[in-house]
Amino acid sequence: MNDLGRIIAAARERAGMSQKDVAAAMCRRGVQITNQAVSKWENGTTQPGAAQFLTLCQVLEVDDVMHTFLGTERVSPFSGLNEEGRKKAEEYIDLLRRSGLYGTEPVRSVSLRSLPLYHISVSAGTGQFLDSDHYDLVEVGDEVPMNANFGVRVAGDSMEPRFIDGQVVWVHQQQTIRSGEIGIFLYDGNAYCKKFSNEDGTVRLISLNPRYTPVEIAPDRELRVFGRVVG
C-alpha cells in the first residue's frame, strides 16, 4: 500500500464506510466505479483519475485536500480543528450563508417587515419579554418564518449544536406548546429556550446539549409559555 492508498483507506475508515459504500456513493454522484476499484486504489495497484479523486474526496468529506494528502499546513480554515471544532465552524458558515449578506450571488429582492428583537437574552434575564419595551425593531426578510412575532437571543451553550451562544431565535407567540417542541419559557424567575417534554405526568425543560440536566417543573409552580421557536 502506497501513501495515497493508505490515506484513502484511513479517510474511508474515519467516515465509517466500507469499500462498497464508497463505490455506491460515487456512482450516485455520476462516477461509475466498483468496490474492486476502491480496493485497488487503497492497495496501490492503481490510482483514481482527477474526476474520481475529487468525487472520492466529496464522498469521504475530505475538505482540506492539500493537508490530508500532502501534509501541507494551514491551507484550509478547517486545518488544525478537531471534529467538534469543524462542526462549529460549519455552523457559523451556515449562519453567514443564510443571512444573505456574504454570498457570491447578488442578494435577491425580499419582502421586508419589522419585528421586535428583545434586549434580554433567554437563560440570562428575568424573562419579562412581552411586558417590556426594551427591544429594537429590526427588519427581516424571507429568512424569518412569516408566523414569527418576536425574536430573542440565546445565552450560553445549553442548546448547542442547534442554537449557539448569541444567536437570534424567532418565536411565534402562543400560550401552549406540544411535547417535543422548542419554546421560550419563564420558570422560577428565569427565562429559558428549551425543548418542552410532558411524559407520564412529568413536565421538564430539556437542553439539546447533553451536558445539561433537564429542568423539572414542580407541580405547584407556574410555567409560563411565551411561544414556540420557529426559526
Side-chain angles (χ1 to χ4, degrees), residues 115-132 134-136 138 140 144 148-156 159 163-173 182-185 191-194 226-231:
L115 292 178
L117 174 60
Y118 287 89
H119 295 173
I120 303 174
S121 299
V122 289
S123 299
T126 62
Q128 303 300 322
F129 301 116
L130 306 187
D131 303 325
S132 168
H134 294 109
Y135 61 81
D136 295 317
V138 297
V140 299
V144 176
N149 301 114
F150 66 94
V152 292
R153 293 189 183 275
V154 173
M159 292 300 283
F163 303 114
I164 60 178
D165 183 36
Q167 181 178 346
V168 174
V169 295
W170 298 101
V171 185
H172 175 252
Q173 184 178 346
I182 295 176
I184 305 299
F185 308 91
Y192 297 97
C193 175
K194 301 290 182 187
F226 286 117
R228 176 173 59 90
V229 172
V230 294

Side-chain angles (χ1 to χ4, degrees), residues 98-218:
R98 286 191 285 120
S99 73
L101 299 176
Y102 306 98
T104 56
E105 297 295 328
V107 178
R108 62 186 177 87
S109 177
V110 295
S111 177
L112 297 178
R113 64 193 192 279
S114 295
L115 292 178
L117 174 60
Y118 287 89
H119 295 173
I120 303 174
S121 299
V122 289
S123 299
T126 62
Q128 303 300 322
F129 301 116
L130 306 187
D131 303 325
S132 168
D133 58 0
H134 294 109
Y135 61 81
D136 295 317
L137 281 176
V138 297
E139 286 192 335
V140 299
D142 296 341
E143 76 281 1
V144 176
M146 290 302 299
N147 60 342
N149 301 114
F150 66 94
V152 292
R153 293 189 183 275
V154 173
D157 63 353
S158 67
M159 292 300 283
E160 288 188 352
R162 182 169 179 182
F163 303 114
I164 60 178
D165 183 36
Q167 181 178 346
V168 174
V169 295
W170 298 101
V171 185
H172 175 252
Q173 184 178 346
Q174 57 190 68
Q175 296 181 342
T176 61
I177 195 168
R178 293 182 296 183
S179 185
E181 293 181 328
I182 295 176
I184 305 299
F185 308 91
L186 177 66
Y187 178 67
D188 200 23
N190 293 310
Y192 297 97
C193 175
K194 301 290 182 187
K195 183 170 74 171
F196 180 73
S197 173
N198 185 0
E199 298 180 356
D200 301 324
T202 301
V203 177
R204 295 185 298 174
L205 302 181
I206 300 176
S207 300
L208 300 184
N209 188 334
R211 295 195 297 109
Y212 289 82
T213 302
V215 178
E216 190 163 327
I217 307 303

